[in-house]
Amino acid sequence: INTPPPNRQPIHTEVRMINDELIRDSIYYEVYRGGQVFFLHNRVKSLPDMIGMLQRLCPDVDFAMAHGQMPPKNLEQTLFDFVHKKFDVLVCTNIIETGLDIPNANTIIINNAHHFGLSDLHQMRGRVGRSNKKAFCYLFCPPLSVLTSDARKRLQTLEDFSDLGSGFNIAMRDLDIRGAGNILGGEQSGFISDIGYET
């Protein structure tokens, strides 16, 4: 389980405050080395505004948008075009969280990362670094001092465990942060009293 596929590299992960210069530099760095970028913003309503802001920062970069409220045909076509390198940056919601394997996309920028759970962030970070190229993950959030203690711990965990095969460590830290729950209690198991503990 701990053995990564050959030629993979750890994903460089940084927790940062949102910063126009860092966004511009990270997008241009990836595009200039022939790669592509995921920019994840999990609010469908403000996705077009986000694209407008990114186009102002990087006027010569091609952007496209993907989210779950698009007609399925359009969404499929957008993802197909991204896979075939028709544009450089996919501005999307967490719809990309599972099942997308695009080896050429090696930078992911997650806006408002403090709104996501640890397993979501780990899954989304796993969308990059799927080839032998060095991959980057930037987690944007407000200053750590204004975040809840749990949100701080989640982001710190991702920064601490960026090595390949560290999913188990992340799962254990998640259990530590959220607690194991009341495994035999009614709110956890529902029908335990009808079935009986012995069963």
Side-chain angles (χ1 to χ4, degrees):
I1 286 173
N2 287 327
T3 308
N7 302 324
R8 292 269 178 94
Q9 298 183 49
I11 299 164
H12 177 85
T13 305
E14 282 185 37
V15 176
R16 301 289 289 268
M17 277 168 44
I18 194 153
N19 170 331
D20 288 356
E21 201 173 311
L22 179 61
I23 293 172
R24 187 189 309 116
D25 290 350
S26 56
I27 288 175
Y28 277 132
Y29 176 79
E30 189 59 61
V31 169
Y32 286 159
R33 69 172 182 165
Q36 292 165 286
V37 179
F38 291 116
F39 188 99
L40 200 143
H41 175 77
N42 210 28
R43 290 279 176 273
V44 172
K45 208 166 155 187
S46 48
L47 268 181
D49 298 338
M50 193 53 70
I51 289 183
M53 184 268 283
L54 292 170
Q55 279 172 330
R56 281 194 300 279
L57 290 176
C58 309
D60 47 346
V61 170
D62 294 324
F63 294 90
M65 180 168 66
H67 58 79
Q69 294 176 22
M70 290 167 69
K73 276 266 189 296
N74 295 12
L75 179 59
E76 189 181 354
Q77 188 60 51
T78 302
L79 294 176
F80 184 80
D81 289 346
F82 188 59
V83 169
H84 289 89
K85 306 176 189 173
K86 299 233 174 114
F87 47 88
D88 307 306
V89 181
L90 184 66
V91 183
C92 55
T93 59
N94 65 341
I95 193 167
I96 62 155
E97 189 174 327
T98 50
L100 216 55
D101 189 0
I102 302 177
N104 199 49
N106 282 300
T107 294
I108 185 166
I109 299 168
I110 302 176
N111 194 27
N112 292 325
H114 59 297
H115 288 160
F116 292 101
L118 195 43
S119 58
D120 289 330
L121 289 169
H122 181 54
Q123 280 280 6
M124 291 181 299
R125 177 172 66 179
R127 297 307 98 210
V128 296
R130 305 185 75 81
S131 68
N132 57 1
K133 267 187 177 177
K134 180 74 181 159
F136 299 87
C137 172
Y138 297 100
L139 304 167
F140 285 142
C141 63
L144 291 179
S145 56
V146 304
L147 297 181
T148 64
S149 157
D150 282 359
R152 271 200 305 275
K153 286 180 193 164
R154 287 197 299 267
L155 296 170
Q156 191 62 55
T157 299
L158 271 196
E159 223 174 13
D160 291 346
F161 295 113
S162 59
D163 291 344
L164 294 164
S166 58
F168 181 73
N169 294 326
I170 289 174
M172 291 309 290
R173 187 70 68 86
D174 192 31
L175 191 65
D176 194 37
I177 293 169
R178 293 194 299 163
N182 181 359
I183 292 170
L184 293 176
E187 67 274 13
Q188 181 83 6
S189 307
F191 298 108
I192 195 78
S193 55
D194 295 344
I195 298 164
Y197 292 129
E198 296 80 6
T199 312

